[in-house]
Amino acid sequence: MKKKLGRGVAIVGAGMSNFGAFPGKATRDLFVEAFSDMIASVDKGLDPNDIEALYIGNYSSDLFEGQGHTAPFMADWTGLTPRPATRIEDACASSGVALRQGIIAIASGLYDVVLVGGIEKMTDLPTSEVTDTLATASDVLYEIPAGFTFPGFYAAMATAYMDRYGATPESFMRVGLKNHENGALNEKAQYGATIRQVMDSKIAKAKAKGRPEPTWADEMEFMHDDRANPIIAWPMRLFDCSPISDGAAALLLVSEDIAKSFSADPLFVIGTGQASDVALHDRQDLTTLRAAKLAGEQAYEMAGLKPEDIKAAEVHDCFTIAEVIATEDLGFFPPGKGYEAAEEGLTRRNGPKPINTSGGLKSKGHPVGASGAGQVVEIWKQAHGSAGERQAAHDVNLGLTHNVGGTGQTCAVHIFERR
Amino acid sequence: MNNKDFTSASFQEYLKQKKLMGVRCQSCGTLFLPPRPMCNHCFGEDLIWEELSGEGELTAFTTIHIAPTAMIEAGYGRDNPYCSGIVKLKDGVSISAQILGVDVDHPENIKIGCKLEVEFLERQVGDDNQAFLAFQTVD
Ligand SMILES: [Zn+2]
């Protein structure tokens, strides 16, 4: 039976902190920045006292900053106690799932105005401990003893994908190039620089220090340089991997009937889907994420849309291979054709199917629990024509977000419409 | 044959005895690796341990240069990468494991589909001697 929401839900405000490394700032401080940015986006104004409940996506403040029970602190720092504040944890899909819980809460009729947030503070720990903390989102009994890391899991998917479809490590590098081109135009991005700009700054640095200047012929030669772009887990190199990030995002959700009193142009939630899956080694097919396909199918069915109707999408490019697989799982391109579509430029912001105009997790940053809500901030901007220089070439009245947890054991997909 | 609980602790004990053990559901015949206490196909709880062939082939892999703490303590890292992969056993089930005998400095030469056989590693973890599942290439 076709699933539908009990009543309509719209997003009437969307904001985020800068994504990056912010020593001395805790998640609550970053969340206040996102909250203020969100309020500024509500064009008819918001009285924060109208907010009735908070749903906060957060993967692991416990391990990253030694702070459990984080949701009430977000309520306190935004002046929203004693309203109910609930933390949602589904690894890197935490705030995509928090969004879905906020939608369900309004659709149920219980609340009219809900704040959905995403928060993560990762940079206090050294890299090896960040790697360990992220690894707890996989199977600690059977996958971690095999030596796997998160880059390792996606790298393994990449080898299966290359073996089946003939893609090469260069196919994935081109996804990274494209996302850095977009991210260079995003003032909130952690690594907001094109690969060319990264190369130029490394050359300038070498010159200033009197060291021999690197002589890369072009971006692809840079991408193949083991020193400039070291292997993390073959075939994934540094510029195939999203960074370690701090950041927060905030979304204001209201019931459809009151949406116009907050915003002249609400972003209506017309599709939501979510699914789970088994550990990576238990899957029949390592070149697709079944949870993403199912979540996408649920969202399309609810929205009454097909993949070709979507004007722009923010997909979960925690690693470049993940973006390729996402564009296939969501039906934008046939299985095995996503890498060719990326190589042909179909996913650039002036192409027919702009993917990750924000720069994606790769360039914008990946504060894991904030990423799902952060994706919606970009669709909000694209839908309102307020994405500045990175605005897609065509009108984005229909946008999609695809937020993955772990190796694809969770996925949440949402579809939004500006009417 | 035995009456061990169908848990990771039992699986680990078998690894120490150099045995790769799966669990079979006696109601519907489904084989599980790793073990679990209830069949997720028929919900049956009439299960039995079964020693697996230990022969299989590589279905996906990676060579890891940025290692987690446990592998750094085992001597791996940027200057000494290792291979992790997913192995499909002859018995039909798949599992994650460290892959030995491959050329980690030339991952482009590692072949998906290559034949592997089980190997049991032991490593000191803190005060504990633990067993780890690995697979070795067969030529
Ligand atoms: Zn059974």
Side-chain angles (χ1 to χ4, degrees):
Chain A
M1 198 186 73
K2 188 177 165 179
K3 304 274 190 217
K4 64 183 183 74
L5 296 177
R7 62 174 177 159
V9 178
I11 292 178
V12 293
M16 58 185 272
S17 70
N18 288 339
F19 282 7
F22 307 113
K25 284 188 184 176
T27 45
R28 63 186 82 176
D29 305 314
L30 296 165
F31 188 63
V32 167
E33 292 177 21
F35 183 71
S36 301
D37 193 45
M38 179 278 288
I39 289 178
S41 75
V42 183
D43 56 86
K44 294 187 180 173
L46 166 70
D47 178 354
N49 288 310
D50 289 340
I51 295 171
E52 296 169 284
L54 299 85
Y55 292 87
I56 305 294
N58 171 244
Y59 168 49
S60 194
S61 55
D62 318 62
L63 297 176
F64 283 131
E65 53 178 351
Q67 173 70 63
H69 202 190
T70 38
F73 290 98
M74 302 309 129
D76 184 6
W77 254 244
T78 51
L80 292 174
T81 53
R83 293 160 186 80
T86 307
R87 171 175 162 188
I88 312 280
E89 191 271 302
D90 261 326
C92 312
S94 294
S95 58
V97 175
L99 167 62
R100 187 170 149 93
Q101 291 303 310
I103 292 166
I104 291 169
I106 292 176
S108 76
L110 186 62
Y111 304 124
D112 295 316
V113 183
V114 161
L115 177 64
V116 167
I119 51 171
E120 209 75 62
K121 167 77 190 178
M122 301 168 71
T123 66
D124 281 353
L125 294 184
T127 301
S128 59
E129 288 179 42
V130 172
T131 303
D132 294 345
T133 298
L134 291 173
T136 67
S138 62
D139 190 333
V140 299
L141 298 178
Y142 299 106
E143 292 182 315
I144 298 312
F148 269 115
T149 58
F150 259 91
F153 288 119
Y154 280 87
M157 292 183 218
T159 60
Y161 186 93
M162 293 192 296
D163 184 61
R164 179 175 302 176
Y165 296 121
T168 64
E170 290 72 34
S171 313
F172 309 127
M173 291 171 183
R174 294 193 188 280
V175 173
L177 274 170
K178 184 263 295 173
N179 285 349
H180 273 274
E181 267 172 38
N182 290 340
L185 304 174
N186 185 347
E187 69 289 353
K188 298 208 169 182
Q190 181 171 9
Y191 289 103
T194 64
I195 297 299
R196 183 70 248 176
Q197 289 165 339
V198 172
M199 292 160 65
D200 290 343
S201 85
K202 283 181 185 278
I203 291 168
K205 206 183 253 177
K207 197 181 270 181
K209 290 193 173 172
R211 290 202 302 252
E213 289 172 42
T215 54
W216 302 295
D218 56 18
E219 280 95 333
M220 287 308 274
E221 198 174 310
F222 168 84
M223 294 296 240
H224 280 97
D225 182 335
D226 283 342
R227 287 190 51 190
N229 188 20
I231 296 169
I232 306 295
W234 191 87
M236 294 289 104
R237 292 172 179 262
L238 181 63
F239 283 95
D240 289 293
C241 303
S242 55
I244 294 165
S245 314
D246 306 332
L251 308 171
L252 186 66
L253 274 59
V254 303
S255 59
E256 193 171 79
D257 52 310
I258 59 170
K260 289 273 185 183
S261 63
F262 291 88
S263 171
D265 267 322
L267 199 54
F268 294 93
V269 179
I270 59 170
T272 173
Q274 185 187 340
S276 64
D277 203 357
V278 298
L280 190 63
H281 55 234
D282 264 338
R283 296 181 203 164
Q284 293 299 318
D285 188 343
L286 300 175
T287 64
T288 176
L289 302 185
R290 184 177 61 163
K293 276 174 90 158
L294 293 174
E297 284 166 13
Q298 292 167 24
Y300 287 131
E301 189 183 13
M302 187 183 287
L305 295 177
K306 293 194 158 43
E308 50 269 35
D309 299 322
I310 302 299
K311 303 291 175 48
E314 289 286 304
V315 308
H316 198 90
D317 63 321
C318 48
F319 302 93
T320 50
I321 174 64
E323 176 167 321
V324 172
I325 291 177
T327 59
E328 298 175 7
D329 289 340
L330 292 167
F332 299 152
F333 309 110
K337 298 291 179 194
Y339 80 96
E340 290 175 348
E343 286 176 358
E344 289 162 17
L346 304 185
T347 57
R348 296 170 65 138
R349 63 180 185 279
N350 57 358
K353 190 67 81 182
I355 302 292
N356 288 333
T357 52
S358 67
L361 313 182
K362 172 68 206 76
S363 165
K364 183 178 58 181
H366 186 23
V368 291
S371 285
Q375 292 175 324
V376 182
V377 176
E378 179 67 9
I379 296 298
W380 168 272
K381 285 184 187 291
Q382 289 288 340
H384 291 97
S386 59
E389 278 188 90
R390 67 180 191 280
Q391 185 69 41
H394 54 244
D395 179 44
V396 180
N397 64 320
L398 290 164
L400 178 150
T401 59
H402 158 279
N403 187 202
V404 173
T407 59
Q409 285 195 264
T410 294
C411 186
V413 172
H414 287 92
I415 301 176
F416 307 93
E417 181 182 26
R418 190 205 71 234
R419 290 178 182 152
Chain B
M1 169 183 171
N2 58 69
N3 53 6
K4 282 189 175 140
D5 287 340
F6 301 105
T7 60
S8 63
S10 304
F11 183 74
Q12 169 68 215
E13 268 185 59
Y14 279 127
L15 286 184
K16 283 186 176 169
Q17 298 165 26
K18 301 195 184 305
K19 285 182 176 170
L20 176 57
M21 300 294 283
V23 165
R24 193 176 292 277
C25 170
Q26 304 210 77
S27 309
C28 73
T30 305
L31 178 66
F32 293 101
L33 176 70
R36 54 176 74 214
M38 185 189 75
C39 174
N40 67 2
H41 288 262
C42 74
F43 306 101
E45 296 186 33
D46 186 10
L47 305 160
I48 189 167
W49 287 100
E50 183 173 310
E51 186 162 4
L52 303 178
S53 67
E55 294 170 38
E57 59 177 54
L58 189 62
T59 55
F61 71 92
T62 178
T63 57
I64 295 180
H65 293 238
I66 301 298
T69 309
M71 294 304 275
I72 292 171
E73 282 167 5
Y76 294 103
R78 192 180 282 283
D79 300 321
N80 187 23
Y82 60 94
C83 181
S84 292
I86 295 174
V87 181
K88 186 173 174 81
L89 295 164
K90 263 188 177 170
D91 317 78
V93 287
S94 295
I95 191 75
S96 300
Q98 190 177 343
I99 308 297
L100 308 171
V102 293
D103 183 358
V104 292
D105 294 322
H106 296 94
E108 63 280 6
N109 295 339
I110 301 175
K111 292 275 181 285
I112 283 177
C114 71
K115 302 283 178 242
L116 301 165
E117 64 185 16
V118 72
E119 179 88 29
F120 301 91
L121 302 179
E122 283 191 17
R123 264 188 234 127
Q124 201 67 25
V125 179
D127 296 334
D128 244 19
N129 196 33
Q130 282 183 24
F132 290 85
L133 182 63
F135 282 81
Q136 171 82 40
T137 51
V138 186
D139 24 49

